[in-house]
Amino acid sequence: MSNHRPAQPNTHYDVIIIGAGASGLYCALTAGRRGRRVLVLDHANKAGKKILMSGGGRCNFTNYFVEPEHFIGTNPHFCKSALSRYPSWEFIGLVEAHKIPYHEREHGQLFCDDSAQDILQMLLDECTAAGVQVRLSTQIESVRTLDNDKNARFELVTTKQLSKKEKQARKEANNQTKLPQTNYCCDSLVVATGGLSIPTMGASGLGYELAQQFGHTLIATDASLVPFTFTDKTGELIRALAGISLPVIASNERISFKLPLLFTHRGLSGPSMLQLSNYWYSGEAIEINLLPETDIIELLLTHKKTHPKQLIRTVLSESTHNALPKKLLTTLQTMLWEDVKDTELANIKDERLIEIGSTINSWQLKPSGTEGYRTAEVTRGGIKTDDVSSKTMESKCQDGLYFIGEVLDVTGWLGGYNFQWAWASGFVCGEVV
Ligand SMILES: Cc1cc2nc3c(=O)[nH]c(=O)nc-3n(C[C@H](O)[C@H](O)[C@H](O)COP(=O)(O)OP(=O)(O)OC[C@H]3O[C@@H](n4cnc5c(N)ncnc54)[C@H](O)[C@@H]3O)c2cc1C
């Protein structure tokens, strides 16, 4: 298409995408395949850093079962159109076409057999084949609209993003000269800068700043898919159990997840906690059922009648469906029934057994917080979706401006859903820019 247009200076593009991450690269290759002249700019020195670190290095790139219910956001309907137009089998098809070996894990999650690098390389190869240019280590200084220009709608002023070493060298040489600027123009500008998690991987708030510059509203952001932290006695207790993992039901008033829990030196982690963190707000309590397959109250009261001489710990270690790890049982004993630890069931009041049973089946905990953006997999909140077209991702405040991926107020569950959102939103945008 661009071949039929009058020649433009080489800093003019049909489409400029800020962010060479998951959504940005997918949008680029989609638009490039349509013959659009596409430039991707990123301040990082490498494209797709989060892809590389995802899924423990194996990239959980999508899920067999993608439903709008797997996403949260102020407008839960916003994600539906893109997800239905770009289902997960489209991405799986691309992975298979590139002969990337992959496997399914529980709950339909798809991972690379070898390395997340395979997914990144696939995206970069597709971009190259579609004629997309990717320019890294580029700092975006400013973005403005060109009101009187017939050929372009936006102008971007950029400089070279200096490495730490280069910055230090300039400082030592007391070099205060301005860095040379490169200006780019484009008709469509796509903001694909992602969220705030893992700042060391290139995360920045530029996408939110640009959205505000063009009149968009932001939904408060927070670290999500992130472990919980605890202070005081609970924190001590949890730390003492570091390394223990068990299947639990973790819930709050909004949602419930039956998944593994992991005690760590910093707090509570594992899939159940990460999932719950998407639905948790500061100051709220969470509930953990440590033995979801067993009604402990019923178990203890029945054993009091049938085996009155047994101790609580014996019942819990021998009669439960999935016995509690020994160390956890000992800790629970110290916490809940230290005074009656050597007392036979017959001599423990029913009310006490009910209290103990109810704590094990619904342990109420109040996290002091989360590990924050430092370790969070995603950012909850972001650009309010009411002001963005759900069909094209175009801004309703500024023609030609688009937002895709995690920068929007769309947050997926753990399990490949965040990448599926990145591919789907990148695709529908790449089809129209
Ligand atoms: C440790 C970890 C593991 C994860 N594992 C999974 C997983 O297995 N499955 C899954 O579905 N999701 C996973 N995620 C989430 C997933 O990585 C993100 O949701 C997804 O990458 C979002 O895509 P995006 O394109 O919106 O943003 P990103 O992929 O984060 O890309 C944003 C890009 O914008 C660039 N950028 C930011 N600011 C600027 C700026 N000022 N100037 C220029 N460029 C800028 C960044 O350098 C980056 O390249 C994981 C996340 C983390 C942190």
Side-chain angles (χ1 to χ4, degrees):
M1 263 185 226
S2 55
N3 294 345
H4 306 300
R5 311 180 96 202
Q8 301 283 349
N10 65 3
T11 54
H12 179 279
Y13 291 83
D14 296 327
V15 186
I16 290 183
I17 300 170
I18 308 178
S23 64
L25 291 176
Y26 208 86
C27 180
L29 69 88
T30 308
R33 282 173 181 173
R34 289 173 48 239
R36 307 297 280 159
R37 203 163 169 256
V38 183
L39 172 69
V40 185
L41 297 174
D42 200 305
H43 65 170
N45 59 0
K46 204 171 182 343
K49 284 189 178 182
K50 274 194 193 162
I51 298 174
L52 290 178
M53 73 187 303
S54 67
R58 291 228 158 82
C59 187
N60 178 194
F61 55 83
T62 192
N63 195 294
Y64 275 137
F65 316 109
V66 178
E67 299 292 341
E69 291 70 39
H70 297 122
F71 297 84
I72 55 168
T74 315
N75 176 359
H77 304 292
F78 179 81
C79 62
K80 289 181 181 172
S81 174
L83 291 174
S84 69
R85 279 171 53 208
Y86 190 85
S88 53
W89 50 259
E90 289 277 2
F91 194 82
I92 297 167
L94 190 62
V95 168
E96 289 181 351
H98 280 254
K99 301 195 170 20
I100 296 175
Y102 68 93
H103 60 277
E104 182 186 357
R105 295 195 193 160
E106 63 278 12
H107 311 292
Q109 306 172 87
L110 300 185
F111 285 78
C112 294
D113 284 357
D114 300 329
S115 162
Q117 176 68 46
D118 291 348
I119 298 293
L120 178 58
Q121 199 52 54
M122 172 186 87
L123 296 171
L124 292 174
D125 288 349
E126 288 288 336
C127 280
T128 306
V132 171
Q133 291 181 41
V134 180
R135 210 148 293 160
L136 302 169
S137 301
T138 302
Q139 165 96 27
I140 315 293
E141 299 291 348
S142 65
V143 174
R144 69 179 183 109
T145 47
L146 297 168
D147 295 330
N148 299 319
D149 194 318
K150 283 198 200 94
N151 295 317
R153 231 185 228 140
F154 298 95
E155 183 190 53
L156 284 77
V157 177
T158 71
T159 54
K160 182 179 184 313
Q161 174 75 50
L162 299 178
S163 66
K164 268 190 189 158
K165 225 170 156 185
E166 288 166 327
K167 277 185 193 159
Q168 185 61 24
R170 262 174 80 88
K171 206 173 156 194
E172 280 167 14
N174 197 21
N175 182 352
Q176 292 179 1
T177 54
K178 277 197 164 178
L179 289 167
Q181 293 182 342
T182 308
N183 294 13
Y184 296 100
C185 300
C186 60
D187 302 331
S188 299
L189 178 65
V190 183
V191 178
T193 45
L196 295 169
S197 53
I198 326 268
T200 49
M201 288 291 128
S204 86
L206 178 71
Y208 307 125
E209 287 159 28
L210 288 174
Q212 283 181 310
Q213 177 186 330
F214 289 100
H216 282 264
T217 310
L218 303 182
I219 301 296
T221 53
D222 210 346
S224 216
L225 293 184
V226 63
F228 290 113
T229 53
F230 297 84
T231 46
D232 310 333
K233 278 242 164 323
T234 320
E236 270 170 44
L237 186 136
I238 288 168
R239 281 188 285 280
L241 295 169
I244 290 177
S245 170
L246 74 160
V248 302
I249 294 179
S251 48
N252 64 9
E253 65 223 12
R254 299 181 190 93
I255 194 108
S256 175
F257 292 101
K258 191 173 180 188
L259 287 168
L261 163 77
L262 174 68
F263 290 85
T264 77
H265 289 291
R266 290 194 291 265
L268 291 180
S269 187
S272 64
M273 294 294 109
L274 300 191
Q275 294 281 41
L276 195 59
S277 71
N278 262 356
Y279 293 86
W280 179 83
Y281 292 85
S282 183
E284 292 181 354
I286 61 169
E287 185 179 303
I288 300 172
N289 183 344
L290 292 167
L291 276 170
E293 308 299 335
T294 316
D295 182 334
I296 306 294
I297 298 177
E298 194 191 307
L299 181 81
L300 291 174
L301 293 179
T302 310
H303 271 70
K304 185 175 169 179
K305 286 193 194 118
T306 55
H307 302 82
K309 287 192 175 308
Q310 274 194 344
L311 303 177
I312 296 175
R313 65 172 172 274
T314 325
V315 181
L316 292 181
S317 60
E318 288 176 3
S319 314
T320 52
H321 184 267
N322 268 322
L324 286 168
K326 202 162 174 250
K327 200 168 170 193
L328 176 57
L329 182 58
T330 313
T331 307
L332 286 173
Q333 175 172 278
T334 312
M335 187 172 93
L336 301 175
W337 67 92
E338 179 71 12
D339 54 325
V340 290
K341 68 176 184 191
D342 297 317
T343 309
E344 293 172 353
L345 285 175
N347 298 322
I348 305 174
K349 282 191 175 153
D350 283 3
E351 297 83 75
R352 190 69 198 283
L353 295 176
I354 290 169
E355 197 185 298
I356 292 164
S358 115
T359 306
I360 294 172
N361 277 147
S362 53
W363 189 20
Q364 303 285 326
L365 290 163
K366 211 169 203 183
S368 56
T370 68
E371 288 185 15
Y373 291 120
R374 193 179 56 82
T375 61
E377 283 201 13
V378 286
T379 299
R380 184 178 61 199
I383 298 165
K384 191 174 177 186
T385 50
D386 289 356
D387 303 325
V388 177
S389 159
S390 62
K391 304 220 161 31
T392 62
M393 304 294 139
E394 186 171 11
S395 160
K396 291 179 186 169
C397 306
Q398 168 64 52
D399 289 348
L401 178 65
Y402 298 79
F403 298 99
I404 55 173
E406 204 184 308
V407 76
L408 287 162
D409 175 29
V410 176
T411 307
W413 283 15
L414 190 74
Y417 299 105
N418 284 294
F419 277 137
Q420 185 58 29
W421 171 246
W423 317 137
S425 58
F427 172 78
V428 295
C429 178
E431 285 273 280
V432 295
V433 284

